[in-house]
Amino acid sequence: MKKKKLEELRETCLGCQKCELGKTRTNIVFSDGNPKTAKAILIGEAPGANEDATGTPFVGRAGKLLNEFLEKAGISRSEDLYVINTVKCRPPENRVPTDSEKKSCEEYLLKQIEIINPSVMIFCGATALKSFYPEKLAISKIRGEVLELEIGGKKRKCIPIFHPSYLLRQHSIVEGSPRDLMLKDLKKIKELIEG
Ligand code: URA
């Protein structure tokens, strides 16, 4: 059932030209993960060059770093998560998607959330956070907090975390460093999805 609904939605996205990003994309980047077993949805910012080339989210350097963190926290990307972005098409030069591009894509995103229906959502980075939580709070201030938000007609536990692109530039692993906090946040998420 979920599979069929998602396949129909993917077909719609394949023909989408609602915003300018449709003109320059190579592939739509629909999702990764297992819709049947996913316990949480992880939302990133937007596809980059590697994602545009392959049609899969988080496969470049940032994605590889994300995978390392997930593994350390004991979260299986392929079983526990359904991975998407705020937009399905790559913004040229990897710029941040505009509000209007995000708005165009929102209906697809919300449908995916409704179909997967997770009790936990992970906002990976400031762009994903801003899409659902309009109050202007820096990701560094709010990361790791469990927010109860109504999304797709249901209250869900939403946790903002750092984006792995930021962590590519932060190498320290001392207590309280961004990498240390990322691991702690993911371990907390692991407990939430198991609870
Ligand atoms: N960064 C993102 O936010 N999403 C991707 O899919 C890849 C990199």
Side-chain angles (χ1 to χ4, degrees), residues 29 44-48 51 56-59 62 85 124 163 165:
V29 178
E45 179 175 299
E51 291 76 22
T56 306
F58 282 109
V59 289
N85 281 301
C124 189
H163 193 284
S165 301

